[in-house]
Amino acid sequence: MKNLQRGTDLPQVLFTLMFILVMIAACLWVVQPFILGFTWACMVVIATWPLMLKLQKLLWGRRSLAVFAMTILLLLLFIFPIALLVSSLIDNSAPLIAWISKGHVELPELLWLQEVPYFGDKLYHSYHTLVAGGGAAIMAKVQPYLGRTTGFFVSQAGHFGRFFIHLAVMLLFSVLLYWRGERVAYGIRHFACRMGGRRGDAAVLLAGQAIRSVALGVVVTALVQAVLGGVGLAVAGVPYATLLTVVIFMCCLVQIGPLLVLIPAIIWLYYSGDTTWGTVLIVWSCVVATLDNVLRPMLIRMGADLPIILILSGVIGGLVAFGMIGLFIGPVVLAVSYRLVTVWIHEVPEPSLDASQVIEALNDHDE
């Protein structure tokens, strides 16, 4: 009899591959509503896992009590403040956008410049010379873009219902991950070992370090600076303090710092004649602005050091791609990729610094 067995059955391989791809696409389609919430929950749980273990030791080794305590902490310190900030942003931004779009934005007189000793009069006259020479025309051209830019950021936060659903899903998955965190981590590491051996396992561990670095070193620092800056604005009597707190939080996430919001607030206080609170806010702004130099290094030691340009790109790209949740997910995705690529590159020896020796060795090899 003839051997009917073939070396390679190409149709079988193609149909098998098509079936696998269809199953993967179907699974992604089913879990698509939960992907962002699950990703966010993973970030939160990985960043706060050591805290949960400490609480478990304090609560007589009971995992259920530790999970309940972490759920309360997430509600009080994370979900409620974010929901309140987004809600306040939506409520307070509508009149602000209308005010900017209708042409009510005018350059201030800055009469208080005349009271500055030594060079105040010179600054005052130079400023009004600039305004008279085209400042109003510049403001008229810039004003439509101010309204569009403000409207874009508000529209990203305007999907409050969807955002709140993601928060609820995140809380649910966080509870499940806290409850079975070791088993889930072991399953992910096992899958990584099946895919890439020891390198796959190391990749998962490095990803965890990068997530903790972003969550603790960047997000927590930005949140602390935003809260302290918002308290200073509210105490000083600056209007729209809650809305400005959200802006401070975004500025701190992209590593710009809180002074972009606090300095105009100080100028407004002096412009309105409240010099006492303006001086107090100057001192408080110095404290808030320098806080990241102390707090961020302490927190980032728990993870991996990351370039600022990476965080900036992740925040802006994540905001455009995913909306408000992208402020947290974007930097994490880039940080994990950066850490994995960095480790992969350093698996080989570094090139020689002397280029002439490299070229000479190449020429000798060709001969």
Side-chain angles (χ1 to χ4, degrees):
M1 294 179 62
K2 294 182 180 181
N3 188 7
L4 300 178
Q5 203 173 24
R6 299 179 182 178
T8 302
D9 191 349
L10 184 59
Q12 179 183 4
V13 174
L14 291 178
F15 281 114
T16 302
L17 181 60
M18 289 176 58
F19 176 77
I20 293 174
L21 293 177
V22 168
M23 290 300 296
I24 293 175
C27 291
L28 291 177
W29 192 10
V30 172
V31 303
Q32 187 269 337
F34 310 103
I35 290 177
L36 289 180
F38 181 75
T39 304
W40 203 354
C42 290
M43 294 166 46
V44 173
V45 171
I46 291 174
T48 58
W49 185 257
L51 176 61
M52 197 278 296
L53 294 180
K54 292 181 180 179
L55 287 177
Q56 183 176 345
K57 291 181 180 180
L58 294 175
L59 296 173
W60 309 282
R62 299 286 298 274
R63 175 61 61 88
S64 58
L65 296 178
V67 172
F68 179 77
M70 290 302 301
T71 304
I72 299 299
L73 288 176
L74 287 180
L75 285 172
L76 296 179
L77 302 179
F78 191 75
I79 294 181
F80 284 165
I82 290 180
L84 180 63
L85 289 178
V86 174
S87 178
S88 177
L89 178 64
I90 297 171
D91 294 339
N92 296 329
S93 59
L96 180 61
I97 295 177
W99 181 67
I100 292 176
S101 303
K102 289 181 179 179
H104 294 163
V105 180
E106 297 179 358
L107 294 175
E109 293 289 335
L110 300 185
L111 297 176
W112 56 270
L113 282 176
Q114 294 177 326
E115 301 177 2
V116 178
Y118 300 110
F119 52 86
D121 290 334
K122 185 175 181 180
L123 286 176
Y124 177 78
H125 290 297
S126 300
Y127 172 74
H128 278 270
T129 301
L130 177 64
V131 172
I138 294 175
M139 203 65 195
K141 293 181 180 180
V142 172
Q143 184 174 303
Y145 298 98
L146 290 176
R148 295 175 188 175
T149 305
T150 308
F152 167 75
F153 284 102
V154 173
S155 65
Q156 295 296 324
H159 305 289
F160 183 66
R162 185 177 64 181
F163 184 76
F164 191 77
I165 291 175
H166 285 308
L167 284 177
V169 172
M170 184 273 291
L171 181 64
L172 176 61
F173 279 122
S174 297
V175 173
L176 297 177
L177 291 175
Y178 280 133
W179 188 261
R180 290 288 184 264
E182 294 89 352
R183 185 177 300 179
V184 174
Y186 182 79
I188 294 175
R189 292 182 60 186
H190 195 183
F191 179 78
C193 289
R194 181 65 181 86
M195 295 293 293
R198 296 183 61 184
R199 288 186 178 181
D201 190 17
V204 173
L205 297 177
L206 289 173
Q209 292 181 359
I211 291 173
R212 186 167 298 170
S213 176
V214 172
L216 296 179
V218 177
V219 178
V220 173
T221 304
L223 187 61
V224 171
Q225 286 185 290
V227 170
L228 294 179
V231 170
L233 293 174
V235 173
V238 178
Y240 301 105
T242 308
L243 178 61
L244 294 177
T245 301
V246 178
V247 179
I248 292 176
F249 179 66
M250 293 181 181
C251 291
C252 293
L253 276 180
V254 300
Q255 308 302 305
I256 297 176
L259 294 180
L260 189 66
V261 177
L262 295 176
I263 289 179
I266 294 170
I267 295 175
W268 181 84
L269 288 173
Y270 276 100
Y271 171 71
S272 60
D274 198 349
T275 57
T276 302
W277 282 111
T279 306
V280 172
L281 190 58
I282 288 177
V283 178
W284 186 250
S285 300
C286 294
V287 174
V288 175
T290 57
L291 184 63
D292 61 335
N293 297 326
V294 179
L295 186 60
R296 185 184 292 118
M298 293 174 57
L299 296 175
I300 211 168
R301 290 173 189 169
M302 303 178 184
D305 198 4
L306 301 170
I308 292 180
I309 187 64
L310 190 77
I311 305 301
L312 176 64
S313 303
V315 169
I316 296 177
L319 177 65
V320 175
F322 302 107
M324 287 291 294
I325 297 180
L327 290 172
F328 307 93
I329 296 179
V332 168
V333 172
L334 293 186
V336 171
S337 303
Y338 171 79
R339 288 290 295 161
L340 296 181
V341 172
T342 301
V343 173
W344 176 71
I345 291 175
H346 285 84
E347 287 182 352
V348 299
E350 295 183 0
S352 176
L353 297 177
D354 191 353
S356 60
Q357 293 182 358
V358 177
I359 297 176
E360 184 179 354
L362 182 63
N363 292 331
D364 295 341
H365 182 269
D366 292 339
E367 293 176 0

